[in-house]
Amino acid sequence: MTPPPLSHATTPRSAARRGAITLGVGGVAALGFGAMVSAFPVALVAVFAVPAVILFPLMGVGIAVLSDGVAFPALITGFSTTLINIGVLGAVIAALPVALIRRRANTIVIKIAAALAATSITGMVIALIAFPTSQWLSGARYFLVPIAVAVLASALNDRQLRVLLRAVAALMAASFAAAIVETALGSDRLLELTGLEYGTSIRNFGTALRAPGTFATNYHLGAFSSVIAVVALLWWSSLEGARKDIIWRIVALISAVGCLALSTYRTGVVVLIVSVVAAVFLSGDAVKRWVKISVAVTGIAVGVGFFAVGLGDSKSFFQRLDIWAQLL
């Protein structure tokens, strides 16, 4: 009996072509990784991380979202935050093409992200010419990575998002614990133990420490916490299977609010209040009237409380306006 002809996908010529492409790409990648590891031994991590990120975009999102939460321990042990910025940029650059090629990302999110990214092109070119590499990488990372993460997150299913949010909840709990210890120690003792200089990671508001938690600065912690509080309060429950995550959501919400309070980051409080109030009042009849009133009263109370303890000072805001005017 005559065997059936080989399909195009299984012909020797097709197999040889795939083998040649694999060998070529693998060889170039091996040379690149070898040169990189020779110059920077710590880059050995990339040998394992890059293939994993390409195969599993969730890892790229996880690295981008969670990396800020190890910045303070990294600073204490002598690592530069530039390495973290490079790692985060590398993770999203490796993961993003996969999500786009597979066409899993949300089309609307892609269009919005592309429009936002386009607004940064001129600034990135100027920064590349005018500033040191470390500053340019930091600027690119903090502006472009959230846009890329939005695209990548839209490509994940609910189960993957819940795994990521559980990891975020664990990070928030660890950071809250660290912030409590830092606040108890105070800035003087913390400077002595860490060997860091006053003014960036460790600084005060009056006599109170502006706790960084496990993040690089208090405003990193405050900004991250405010967003996570909104996500845990309003969005996490909309995911399929989220009923299993009630404890995780409570941990994330309590830890995020605690981190926000100990960070004394006023902009984070504004983000939290405005986001929650906007979401509740734009939801139509989906949210009951008494809930809306409760949210409004709570928001006003938090605002009054911040002013009462002296955190309503707007001097730094007007100083920034002066700096921006001079820069322009």
Side-chain angles (χ1 to χ4, degrees), residues 16-98:
R17 184 165 54 248
R18 290 200 303 273
I21 292 173
T22 303
L23 183 62
V25 172
V28 171
L31 289 173
F33 281 134
M36 184 170 56
V37 172
S38 297
F40 307 100
V42 72
L44 183 64
V45 177
V47 175
F48 303 97
V50 170
V53 168
I54 291 174
L55 290 172
F56 307 102
L58 172 61
M59 292 193 66
V61 183
I63 291 171
V65 170
L66 301 172
S67 289
D68 270 329
V70 298
F72 192 70
L75 287 171
I76 294 174
T77 53
F79 281 94
S80 170
T81 53
T82 301
L83 288 176
I84 296 177
N85 290 332
I86 292 173
V88 170
L89 279 171
V92 296
I93 289 172
L96 197 56
V98 179

Side-chain angles (χ1 to χ4, degrees), residues 10-324:
T10 58
T11 60
R13 182 178 297 177
S14 175
R17 184 165 54 248
R18 290 200 303 273
I21 292 173
T22 303
L23 183 62
V25 172
V28 171
L31 289 173
F33 281 134
M36 184 170 56
V37 172
S38 297
F40 307 100
V42 72
L44 183 64
V45 177
V47 175
F48 303 97
V50 170
V53 168
I54 291 174
L55 290 172
F56 307 102
L58 172 61
M59 292 193 66
V61 183
I63 291 171
V65 170
L66 301 172
S67 289
D68 270 329
V70 298
F72 192 70
L75 287 171
I76 294 174
T77 53
F79 281 94
S80 170
T81 53
T82 301
L83 288 176
I84 296 177
N85 290 332
I86 292 173
V88 170
L89 279 171
V92 296
I93 289 172
L96 197 56
V98 179
L100 296 176
I101 291 171
R102 293 177 179 174
R103 295 184 179 180
R104 291 181 179 175
N106 185 282
T107 304
I108 296 175
V109 174
I110 292 174
K111 290 179 179 178
I112 295 173
L116 289 172
T119 65
S120 69
I121 292 176
T122 302
M124 291 300 169
V125 172
I126 294 173
L128 184 60
I129 296 171
F131 295 104
T133 303
S134 60
Q135 290 187 21
W136 181 85
L137 282 172
S138 295
R141 178 262 174 98
Y142 288 120
F143 188 85
L144 295 178
V145 165
I147 298 173
V149 166
V151 175
L152 287 169
S154 74
L156 303 178
N157 59 41
D158 284 8
R159 182 183 62 81
Q160 292 172 322
L161 288 170
R162 287 174 51 226
V163 169
L164 178 62
L165 288 172
R166 287 184 176 190
V168 169
L171 173 61
M172 283 282 86
S175 202
F176 186 30
I180 292 173
V181 172
E182 291 161 357
T183 302
L185 290 172
S187 58
D188 292 340
R189 183 61 176 155
L190 204 54
L191 289 168
E192 181 183 340
L193 291 173
T194 61
L196 298 175
E197 295 183 0
Y198 180 86
T200 303
S201 294
I202 301 174
R203 58 193 186 126
N204 287 355
F205 188 93
T207 59
L209 175 72
R210 312 192 78 172
T214 60
F215 289 68
T217 66
N218 73 295
Y219 48 87
H220 281 92
L221 175 63
F224 193 94
S225 300
S226 63
V227 173
I228 298 307
V230 174
V231 168
L233 187 62
L234 299 176
W235 182 70
W236 193 336
S237 61
S238 67
L239 300 176
E240 184 178 352
R243 288 186 177 182
K244 300 177 182 178
D245 298 338
I246 292 178
I247 300 299
W248 289 97
R249 285 178 58 204
I250 293 173
V251 169
L253 182 58
I254 293 175
S255 299
V257 172
C259 285
L260 182 56
L262 294 178
S263 74
T264 72
Y265 185 59
R266 290 161 291 179
T267 304
V269 175
V270 173
V271 169
L272 175 59
I273 294 173
V274 171
S275 298
V276 172
V277 171
V280 170
F281 281 87
L282 292 175
S283 60
D285 296 332
V287 176
K288 296 180 180 179
R289 186 178 178 183
W290 70 268
V291 175
K292 296 180 179 181
I293 295 174
S294 299
V295 168
V297 171
T298 303
I300 294 171
V302 171
V304 170
F306 256 65
F307 276 94
V309 298
L311 294 176
D313 183 13
S314 59
K315 186 185 299 182
S316 63
F317 173 72
F318 289 106
Q319 288 174 344
R320 291 170 191 168
L321 291 183
D322 290 338
I323 294 172
W324 295 338

